């Protein structure tokens, strides 16, 4: 049992021991390293989640006649950006945008609370702490700042500018945030380790599916249809950025000469959709089926 307890980082250090974990010699040491590129990409993904959800619900509830959607989008971006900066400033070392972190070695590093030791096989000693510091807790801090800033800024803004909406509709995007922030918090608490390893593929799959659904719902079947409204181009370019983010997260850009050409695949799904959309039009398929009979 002792050997098993020592191999899982962070459980042999004095509790509480934020920013500490055991090395290969089972000696507790303070983590003085910095997050690597993949760690930053993971933190960026977790930071993007509330922003994308803000934008989605703002667009969903703003209505076609409302002119306040753009300002709300900008405000949501401002809230999340300030929350990210403040989160970095309050993290160790305090007052700096640089943070120190412990290296992630395996999935179990994220769930040290499941490995509390039982010296007598009866009493469990609750002495674990964060072995992946600060990748686990920093997300909760960020979400807390996002929520506080939203509650301070957004209600006043919406009340002043959302004149095109009814009284019951103008605050619905804020109410939605009060639902999805707890969901994101539980998601990080339970599945943080799984998300750390799976987020690049989640980005690619979700961005492909949502782009296809949007273009289908908007009846985009040609390049001309994209140019009719600027909003469609904004949505397309936003999905291209997500595609690129997912590809970079998977490749990690360890070998630039091999990984950078992969970014040329970013427009491929949209181009494939536009080229094949006319052949999958339901009305055309039904008409050809009727002619065949």
């Amino acid at each position: 049992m002792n050997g098993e307890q020592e191999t899982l980082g962070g459980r042999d250090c004095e509790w509480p021991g934020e920013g500490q974990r055991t090395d290969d010699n089972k000696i507790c040491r303070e983590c003085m390293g910095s997050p690597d590129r993949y760690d930053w990409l993971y933190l960026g993904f977790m930071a993007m989640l509330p922003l994308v959800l803000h934008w989605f619900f703002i667009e969903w509830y703003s209505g076609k006649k409302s002119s306040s959607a753009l300002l709300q989008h900008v405000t949501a971006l401002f809230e999340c950006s300030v929350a990210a900066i403040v989160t970095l400033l309050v993290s160790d070392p305090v007052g700096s945008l640089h943070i120190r972190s412990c290296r992630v070695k395996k999935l179990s590093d994220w769930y040290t609370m499941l490995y509390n030791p039982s010296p007598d096989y009866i009493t469990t000693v609750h002495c674990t702490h964060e072995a992946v510091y600060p990748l686990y807790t920093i997300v909760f801090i960020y979400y807390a700042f996002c929520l506080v800033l939203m509650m301070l800024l957004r209600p006043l803004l919406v009340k002043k500018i959302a004149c095109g909406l009814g009284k019951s509709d103008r605050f619905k995007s804020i109410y939605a945030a009060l639902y999805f922030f707890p969901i994101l918090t539980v998601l990080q608490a339970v599945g943080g380790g799984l998300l750390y390893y799976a987020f690049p593929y989640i980005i690619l799959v979700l961005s492909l599916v949502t782009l296809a659904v949007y273009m289908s719902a908007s009846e985009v079947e040609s390049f001309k249809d994209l140019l009719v409204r600027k909003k469609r181009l904004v949505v397309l370019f936003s999905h291209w950025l997500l595609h690129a983010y997912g590809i970079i997260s998977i490749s990690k850009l360890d070998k630039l000469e091999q990984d950078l050409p992969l970014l040329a695949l970013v427009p491929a799904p949209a181009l494939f959709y536009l080229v094949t959309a006319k052949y999958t039009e339901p009305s055309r398929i039904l008409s050809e089926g009727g002619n065949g009979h």
Side-chain angles (χ1 to χ4, degrees):
M1 172 177 285
N2 291 336
E4 182 185 358
Q5 290 173 6
E6 289 177 347
T7 55
L8 289 170
R11 282 177 291 161
D12 294 322
C13 296
E14 183 179 353
W15 188 89
E18 289 187 355
Q20 300 176 357
R21 68 174 299 165
T22 54
D23 59 13
D24 295 335
N25 297 319
K26 310 301 183 287
I27 299 175
C28 184
R29 299 188 184 278
E30 188 174 13
C31 299
M32 300 305 296
S34 300
D36 59 21
R37 184 182 293 116
Y38 188 83
D39 294 339
W40 283 114
L41 289 170
Y42 166 74
L43 292 177
F45 167 73
M46 298 306 293
M48 282 192 300
L49 284 179
L51 178 60
V52 171
L53 290 173
H54 275 315
W55 284 348
F56 173 80
F57 286 110
I58 289 172
E59 195 66 31
W60 184 269
Y61 291 118
S62 63
K64 295 182 179 180
K65 296 182 180 181
S66 175
S67 59
S68 65
L70 178 59
L71 190 54
Q72 291 186 66
H73 286 316
V74 174
T75 304
L77 177 61
F78 174 77
E79 293 166 2
C80 293
S81 300
V82 173
I85 294 174
V86 174
T87 301
L88 292 176
L89 290 176
V90 299
S91 300
D92 193 22
V94 179
S96 172
L97 294 179
H98 299 283
I99 58 177
R100 63 182 182 89
S101 69
C102 301
R103 189 71 59 195
V104 180
K105 297 180 180 180
K106 47 192 174 182
L107 180 61
S108 58
D109 289 344
W110 289 82
Y111 302 103
T112 55
M113 73 288 294
L114 300 178
Y115 299 95
N116 283 301
S118 300
D120 56 359
Y121 298 95
I122 298 176
T123 305
T124 300
V125 181
H126 298 279
C127 59
T128 60
H129 60 269
E130 186 178 5
V132 294
Y133 178 86
L135 301 182
Y136 189 75
T137 53
I138 197 172
V139 176
F140 299 123
I141 298 173
Y142 167 72
Y143 288 164
F145 281 124
C146 283
L147 185 60
V148 170
L149 288 171
M150 183 197 72
M151 295 306 296
L152 290 176
L153 300 178
R154 197 86 63 82
L156 298 176
L157 176 71
V158 171
K159 185 176 181 180
K160 189 172 183 179
I161 67 174
C163 301
L165 298 174
K167 291 184 178 180
S168 61
D169 294 335
R170 62 177 63 182
F171 294 108
K172 281 188 175 180
S173 62
I174 300 177
Y175 297 151
L178 297 180
Y179 281 99
F180 70 66
F181 268 119
I183 294 174
L184 291 177
T185 301
V186 173
L187 187 65
Q188 168 67 3
V190 176
L194 300 175
L195 288 174
Y196 178 81
Y197 291 101
F199 82 88
Y201 309 98
I202 294 175
I203 291 176
L204 284 180
V205 172
L206 290 183
S207 61
L208 289 174
V209 171
T210 54
L211 178 61
V213 170
Y214 175 79
M215 297 180 75
S216 176
S218 302
E219 299 182 351
V220 177
E221 298 180 0
S222 65
F223 294 98
K224 184 179 179 180
D225 294 334
L226 280 174
L227 302 176
V228 172
R229 297 180 62 185
K230 294 181 180 179
K231 177 182 175 181
R232 293 177 179 177
L233 289 176
V234 172
V235 172
L236 177 63
F237 290 138
S238 300
H239 279 82
W240 281 0
L241 289 176
L242 290 176
H243 295 344
Y245 196 92
I247 292 174
I248 291 173
S249 300
I250 292 175
S251 65
K252 302 180 185 178
L253 296 181
D254 292 331
K255 298 180 180 179
L256 291 180
E257 65 279 2
Q258 296 181 10
D259 298 335
L260 282 180
L262 293 175
L263 295 179
L265 298 174
V266 167
L271 295 177
F272 178 81
Y273 180 91
L274 293 174
V275 171
T276 59
K278 58 184 178 181
Y279 301 111
T280 57
E281 175 64 31
S283 59
R284 177 175 178 174
I285 296 175
L286 291 175
S287 62
E288 289 181 354
N291 294 334
H293 291 292

